[in-house]
Amino acid sequence: MDAYEAGPDAGHGRDEPGESAGTPDPEEAPRSALAALSLPYQLGAALAVAVVGVAACFHLGMVFLHVAPSNTATKEHTRTIDDWIYPEFEQNWKLFAPNPLQQNVAVEVRADVRTADGGARTTGWYDLSAQDGEAIDGNPMPSHTQQNELRRAWDFLLASHDAENRPSGLRGALAEQYLRRIVLMRLDREGAAGPDGTIDRVQVRSRSTNVRPPEWSQEQVSETPTYRVLSWWPVPDDEAAEATGAAGATKGEGS
Amino acid sequence: MTRLVPAASRSLSRSVSRGIGRVTETALGPYQTAVVRIGFSATWLLFLLREFPHRQELYGPDGPWSWDLAQQLIADNGAFTVLMWSGSQLWFELVYVLAVLASLLLLLGWRTRTLSVLFMVGVLSLQNRSIFMGDGGDNVLHLMSLYLVFTRCGQVWSLDARRARKARARVDPDDDPAPDRVGPVLWGVLGVLLLGGIAAGKLDGDPLVPVILWGMWLAQGVGWVVARRGQGGEARTLLDIVGNLVHNAALFVIMAEACLIYATAGWYKIQGSRWQDGTAVHYPLHLDYFSPWPALSDLMSSSGTMVLLVTYGTVAVQVAFPFTLFNRRVKNILLAVMMTEHAVIAVVLGLPFFSLAMIAADAVFLPTSFLRRLGDRATRVCARLLARLRRNGGTGPDERARETGGDPADKAAESPHVGFTA
């Protein structure tokens, strides 16, 4: 006989999390599955209760300290917390907090192109974020490629570079290669190199414009954009070819 | 005074033992875990289908976040992704299709215990492959896919529940039921894959996910062995107790995680000057990346008072939510407010998948009575549609069986061993 089925569990409908449903007199209830077990199994069950309970509380404690502001406990136990949280339990819920972003940050790119006849030219600036914006306009389901790809690649680059645009560590190097590959793919889609040209090097900059304060507010903000200009990045030959291939493969796909 | 102490301690120990009885004997919140399962698997399924044309650019070996770049980052952080097992195009396409399939099957509740693990593998593999493509929605899904593995999320509204119901409906209990072949085959294949992964040194990163995979695989094997050795053994009861405990702990973690999300979002907002001066909501509405309908955004921020109310209201609701769990009525009102707000965000900020994920997380707090009514209505609509499709007027035995699906008495008698037979 399975004890689970024997239990007075007609109260399933009331098993609502977050709400304590009062059960009828517990002393009148038949003995539980736990009580029906022999001692060794009871000890096993008790151990399970302890282990599962401690594990759940420990996990929640770690997550709490991970999302909490830096404090006495987090400073003392940084290693323990990070070891537990990374890589799979990482999380960030500062959604539009403490302040929402108040600037439109556009990522732009231009390229030095070598033409087939040996000539060279520099293209104008391509506003890649404006292209994203166009793809998002009127789109009920924007793709991550339009909404996150370039935006987050730029954030990643800023986070892994100092104010003088010098990369720091592995992440800095990865961020540069990533952004370079994105802009190459986009330039290729635009046909920036022309029919026979190849892209020698690219330059990326950001243009940040303040979001205009609401009409009903008296606040004044500058409307002139500020730029952050990175240095020219040479394009490795294999990557130029690869970018062409990748873009060719995705060309013609609807958004 | 001294006589009060033993009385108090007796009542405390009684409520502790009652609590332990509840969490060991029952897998609580069957409807809540089912709705969370359905919500997240549907979100991920729709996302994968929507991004199907963009899959190469997002997660493919030659995408901008190339296999090589991912390899360097993952060697550093040890995140789990089967996409790093091979850089070939074929492997990538296979994993993507399997991820789609796993989310569909988890949605339907087929072999829920196994499929929740495969669902997690799909989510982690794709997301960890290109972490810079994701946003808050992906983050919630990532965490919940891990937590869902530990729940018995197929107790209701699933093919598993239907199968269990049919098995019980068989006239005679000692009428030999057809032996389950799919389960052992699935288990064997996954075991070979796991062993292969270990042998090839592909599971050397962070130990968390490999431990989960091995743990679930072994638990299922042990469950079968114990079940085969006779019907009502103590070992089986103990396994069932452990399964319930783990389920209940995971359900608690899911709820606490949702609270942490809201608490973090709310408390950090309080510190921001824009949330204090009541203009914060105006700004996201006017970011080019989050304004698919500029005219709608303008309309929504046209009144300063409205923006102030929404700004303050958002913070108040987010900060207050965890505390309202102690009062059923207030909690339900806030829940409705938050779900509505997320539905609005889906459209206005162009974040449908983020919103869907958040609504799925919120759903864990929905009242059972509401969920059951929802389920009844859904089955009725389905039955009517099916009947209309078949055009033969009557209700087939199939539908009649489904309509009783929400019956609590029926539910209580459902196989308690979903955990180990599925």
Side-chain angles (χ1 to χ4, degrees), chain A residues 19 32 38 91 149 189 253, chain B residues 25 53 57 257 328 331:
Chain A
E19 290 167 25
S32 63
S38 63
Q91 47 200 298
E149 184 182 277
R189 276 182 202 164
E253 283 172 354
Chain B
E25 266 165 60
E57 189 176 333
E257 179 73 59
R328 181 189 163 95
K331 176 216 57 171

Side-chain angles (χ1 to χ4, degrees), chain B residues 10-83:
Chain B
R10 207 178 322 131
S11 109
L12 178 72
S13 84
R14 199 191 306 150
S15 49
V16 166
S17 78
R18 194 204 307 168
I20 290 180
R22 279 196 93 194
V23 296
T24 51
E25 266 165 60
T26 350
L28 298 167
Y31 292 93
Q32 285 78 9
T33 34
V35 80
V36 168
R37 176 198 95 224
I38 292 169
F40 282 106
S41 54
T43 305
W44 185 236
L45 176 63
L46 292 174
F47 172 79
L48 291 179
L49 293 179
R50 190 267 168 271
E51 298 291 10
F52 192 75
H54 303 279
R55 66 190 184 286
Q56 293 289 351
E57 189 176 333
L58 287 172
Y59 308 113
D62 301 321
W65 184 250
S66 67
W67 195 83
D68 238 26
L69 294 180
Q71 184 75 290
Q72 293 178 56
L73 188 69
I74 285 166
D76 186 46
N77 70 9
F80 174 84
T81 163
V82 300
L83 281 178

Side-chain angles (χ1 to χ4, degrees), chain A residues 187-211:
Chain A
L187 283 172
D188 199 74
R189 276 182 202 164
E190 292 300 305
D196 306 307
T198 34
I199 294 176
D200 258 351
R201 50 181 203 155
V202 290
Q203 188 179 32
V204 178
R205 72 174 182 187
S206 72
R207 194 191 75 246
S208 306
T209 326
N210 286 321
V211 171

Side-chain angles (χ1 to χ4, degrees), chain A residues 78-175:
Chain A
T78 318
R79 269 296 298 278
T80 322
I81 299 168
D82 288 354
D83 280 354
W84 183 257
I85 293 297
Y86 294 98
E88 307 297 354
F89 293 120
E90 183 181 0
Q91 47 200 298
N92 177 9
W93 309 118
K94 294 180 194 172
L95 307 168
F96 301 118
N99 270 325
L101 183 63
Q102 292 156 59
Q103 287 187 323
N104 274 306
V105 182
V107 179
E108 304 181 336
V109 63
R110 63 175 175 176
D112 268 358
V113 175
R114 197 160 15 94
T115 51
D117 52 22
R121 65 185 170 87
T122 305
T123 68
W125 288 99
Y126 287 85
D127 187 342
L128 303 181
S129 298
Q131 295 172 2
D132 284 342
E134 248 166 65
I136 290 168
D137 268 354
N139 188 344
M141 283 193 291
S143 164
H144 275 19
T145 55
Q146 296 149 357
Q147 209 166 28
N148 295 348
E149 184 182 277
L150 187 63
R151 184 175 63 85
R152 287 210 57 204
W154 181 253
D155 287 346
F156 180 32
L157 188 109
L158 291 190
S160 58
H161 284 67
D162 64 11
E164 262 88 69
N165 299 330
R166 280 176 307 222
S168 59
L170 170 71
R171 296 192 145 232
L174 291 178

